[in-house]
Amino acid sequence: MEVDAATLFNELGERYEDAYAESPGLLQVTEYVVSKLPRSSHVLDVGCGTGKPVAAALASAGHTVYGIDVAENMVRIAASQVRGTFSTADMRTYTPPVKMDAVFAIYSLFQIHPSDTHKVVYRFAEWLKEDGILVLGVTPSWALVGGKGVHDPVWDCMRSKVTWMERPVSELYLSQTAWLNLLREAGFAIEVEKMFNYIPKDSKHTRNETHYLIVGRKLEPRPLLGPYPLPEGLPGKSMRNEAAWRRLQGHLVLRDDERMRLSSMLESHQRILDIGGGLQDFLGTASTGDKSMETLATPFDNLPYADAQFDAVIATMSLDYVDDLRGFLLEVVRVVNKSSSNARVILIQAAPYNEVQKLVNTVCTPLSGTNPGPAHQGLLLQSAKKVLAEIGFGRTSLHPLSTSYSFGGNSPSDRSNELAELLHNVWFHGEEKHEQMKQQLIPPIQNLLHDHPGFLQNELVILEAVLDDH
C-alpha cells in the first residue's frame, strides 16, 4: 500500500540523513548560495528533513534559519541538531513569519500534485524579498527510473508509482523544460543549473539517481500577476456562455476560513456593487447581513447607476468580458463614493496556477477556430492596476483566494464527463470541434479528480485598490 510523505519520512528519520546528507553536488550548490546571501539573512528550508545538510550549512554561516516538514520526527531531529526555528507544516498552507532572503526546497516536491507544485513555486516567490533566491532540488522526468509512469500533457510531467527506500510511493516528475518554464513564469531568472548522478549511502537503497538543482533569482515583485513574461498588448475580449458559466458557479465552494477572510475585507462597507455575481457566489445572501448590495450578473461598459452610489465595487471574473478595460474601470470608479473612508475597488481574477484555466487553455484553445479562451489573467490585473493608479486608486494589495468547484454524488466517470461538458461549453459553446474538446478534456480531468476526489481547484487573486489619500 502506498505511503504518504508524512508517514514515509517519520519512519525514515535519521536513515534519510545518512543516505543523502553527504551529496557533493548539493553541498556545492548550497555553498554557492551561501556566498550570495547578505549577512544574517532569513532563510527557509522547505521539507527540511533532519536539517542536514542544507539548514545546518546555512546556520553555520550565521543566517537565521527556519525549517518546515510534514514529518514530526524529522522536525524533532532537525531542532535537536541545528540552530533555527523548525515546525511541522505543509508547504501548501504554511505562511512564513517574515519575508525570506532565500527559500530551499530540496527533494521535497515529489509527492505533491502537479497543480500544487505550480502553486507552491508561486508561493515561494511570494515569500521571498525582492532579489531573493530560490533553490529547487528535483529529478527531471527523463530520468525516471525504469521509465514507468503516465505522461500528463497539461502539466508536462510524469505521474509515477515507484518503490523508494523500500516503500511504494506515488511521485511526480516534471520535465526539465517544465521546471525552467515554471520558475520563469513565477518571475525568476535562472542563475545556476546543476545535474549530477548520486548513489545514496544506504545498504538497501543503492540505485543511481539523477539529481537536478536549479537556482533562481526573483525578478518580478508581484508573482501573483504572472505568468511571466507578460504578452504584449491587451488581450481581446473573451467570449463566455453565461448560462453555462452560471451552472459552473453553482458548484463553487469556499472553505470557512476563506469566507471569513473575504467577509472581513468588506466588513466596514455598507453599500456594495457586486459585478459578475461573485460576492453572492462566495458568501451567499445570508452572509451579506444588513449591507445594501446591488448585483450585476454581467459587466456593463456603462453602469446603470448614478455617481458615488457605492463605497465598494467588487468585480469577479469580469475583466475578460468588457469591450474597453479602461472605460469599464472609469465607470467603476465613477460609481464609488470617494468621500467615504471605505472607498475601494476589488477585482478578482484567476491565479496563474488555476486548474480550470490551465485545463481550458491547454486543451480547448488550440482546437478553437474563433475563441482564444480565457485571457492572460496576470496581464488583465496588471493593466487594471495601472489604470486604477492613474485615476487615484493607486494603493493596491494582492491576496490569493482559494476556492473550488465541487462535484459530488456521481461516479468518477460521470463527474469527468459532466465537467468536460460544462467547461468546454462555458468558453467554446457551439464550436465545430466541441466534441473533440470534450473528449480531450476527460483524461486530464480524471487525473485532477484523482488528485483531489470530487472537486477542481479554482485558485483566484484579489486585487484591492483604495484611494491614494486614504
Side-chain angles (χ1 to χ4, degrees):
M1 182 176 179
E2 292 177 16
V3 294
D4 60 24
T7 302
L8 173 63
F9 287 99
N10 273 321
E11 292 176 355
L12 288 175
E14 292 174 341
R15 179 185 168 192
Y16 179 79
E17 178 183 314
D18 294 339
Y20 287 92
E22 295 183 9
S23 166
L26 175 55
L27 291 170
Q28 288 171 14
V29 170
T30 303
E31 289 170 3
Y32 166 82
V33 175
V34 167
S35 73
K36 299 295 181 181
L37 289 174
R39 187 184 300 271
S40 302
S41 288
H42 288 81
V43 186
L44 174 65
D45 188 1
V46 177
C48 61
T50 66
K52 293 184 178 180
V54 173
L58 294 162
S60 297
H63 300 301
T64 301
V65 174
Y66 302 83
I68 62 170
D69 202 290
V70 293
E72 294 180 8
N73 189 32
M74 290 296 199
V75 171
R76 179 187 59 78
I77 296 171
S80 71
Q81 61 184 6
V82 179
R83 185 179 70 255
T85 302
F86 296 91
S87 56
T88 305
D90 188 322
M91 69 182 83
R92 294 168 292 187
T93 56
Y94 171 78
T95 300
V98 297
K99 284 282 190 177
M100 297 291 164
D101 294 277
V103 172
F104 284 73
I106 304 300
Y107 315 141
S108 55
L109 301 177
F110 288 108
Q111 289 180 276
I112 61 175
H113 305 309
S115 61
D116 285 337
T117 300
H118 282 241
K119 178 179 177 178
V120 298
V121 170
Y122 279 89
R123 285 173 64 81
F124 298 160
E126 287 286 319
W127 298 345
L128 284 166
K129 298 175 183 177
E130 291 190 32
D131 204 42
I133 297 174
L134 174 64
V135 188
L136 299 183
V138 298
T139 292
S141 57
W142 61 259
L144 178 60
V145 174
K148 296 180 180 179
V150 177
H151 182 247
D152 185 335
V154 171
W155 308 94
D156 191 12
C157 66
M158 294 289 288
R159 297 165 175 268
S160 179
K161 298 181 184 297
V162 299
T163 299
W164 182 79
M165 299 289 270
E166 300 117 67
R167 276 83 169 175
V169 293
S170 289
E171 292 189 332
L172 183 75
Y173 297 80
L174 273 67
S175 74
Q176 184 175 355
T177 299
W179 280 118
L180 295 176
N181 286 342
L182 175 54
L183 264 70
R184 292 182 181 119
E185 289 170 359
F188 291 96
I190 309 301
E191 285 197 353
V192 174
E193 295 178 73
K194 186 175 182 64
M195 191 97 64
F196 57 92
N197 291 331
Y198 181 75
I199 300 177
K201 296 176 173 58
D202 185 277
S203 60
K204 296 182 179 180
H205 182 73
T206 58
R207 76 183 191 199
N208 193 347
E209 299 177 348
T210 300
H211 291 185
Y212 179 38
L213 301 184
I214 317 167
V215 179
R217 176 82 63 171
K218 181 178 176 178
L219 293 183
E220 299 291 346
R222 294 176 178 261
L224 287 175
L225 297 184
Y228 298 95
L230 298 179
E232 294 183 3
L234 276 175
K237 179 181 178 180
S238 297
M239 304 300 293
R240 184 171 72 191
N241 182 317
E242 289 301 321
W245 172 250
R246 293 316 310 169
R247 288 197 297 274
L248 179 62
Q249 292 304 98
H251 294 272
L252 188 72
V253 294
L254 269 76
R255 300 194 313 264
D256 288 343
D257 60 327
E258 293 284 42
R259 183 177 291 106
M260 290 177 61
R261 187 161 66 90
L262 188 57
S263 294
S264 65
M265 188 179 293
L266 297 167
E267 185 175 6
S268 58
H269 299 83
Q270 293 304 311
R271 295 172 299 161
I272 302 171
L273 175 59
D274 175 20
I275 300 175
L279 188 59
Q280 187 169 327
D281 293 333
F282 296 144
L283 303 181
T285 54
S287 299
T288 57
D290 59 355
K291 300 181 188 301
S292 172
M293 187 173 73
E294 291 278 345
T295 299
L296 287 176
T298 56
F300 288 87
D301 290 332
N302 296 300
L303 298 177
Y305 302 102
D307 296 353
Q309 290 295 296
F310 305 95
D311 52 20
V313 176
I314 177 169
T316 304
M317 300 302 290
S318 297
L319 301 186
D320 311 52
Y321 309 105
V322 295
D323 293 312
D324 175 8
L325 178 63
R326 182 181 183 83
F328 172 70
L329 292 172
L330 286 170
E331 277 289 282
V332 166
V333 169
R334 178 183 65 78
V335 302
V336 173
N337 179 9
K338 300 170 197 60
S339 65
S340 169
S341 60
N342 298 321
R344 71 190 58 215
V345 174
I346 297 173
L347 305 175
I348 303 179
Q349 296 289 138
Y353 39 82
N354 182 287
E355 285 185 352
V356 173
Q357 301 265 319
K358 183 77 171 178
L359 272 173
V360 172
N361 279 326
T362 303
V363 176
C364 297
T365 297
L367 293 173
S368 173
T370 58
N371 190 2
H376 190 293
Q377 303 291 288
L379 176 60
L380 285 171
L381 285 174
Q382 294 234 25
S383 302
K385 177 178 176 293
K386 182 178 179 181
V387 172
L388 288 169
E390 291 171 356
I391 54 182
F393 282 77
R395 293 176 54 200
T396 58
S397 56
L398 292 170
H399 318 277
L401 178 67
S402 292
T403 76
S404 60
Y405 291 118
S406 178
F407 291 82
N410 298 327
S411 69
S413 175
D414 289 341
R415 282 198 296 269
S416 299
N417 280 278
E418 179 185 2
L419 265 167
E421 180 75 29
L422 190 51
L423 290 182
H424 97 269
N425 270 335
V426 170
W427 289 280
F428 301 95
H429 179 72
E431 286 267 346
E432 180 181 348
K433 297 182 179 180
H434 70 277
E435 187 60 31
Q436 186 178 353
M437 290 179 186
K438 177 183 174 181
Q439 294 305 315
Q440 291 192 16
L441 277 170
I442 290 173
I445 288 174
Q446 290 173 334
N447 284 333
L448 291 171
L449 292 178
H450 180 267
D451 293 343
H452 34 71
F455 66 93
L456 290 185
Q457 294 181 152
N458 181 49
E459 303 283 356
L460 304 172
V461 175
I462 301 172
L463 173 65
E464 183 180 13
V466 298
L467 283 165
D468 294 327
D469 55 358
H470 281 191

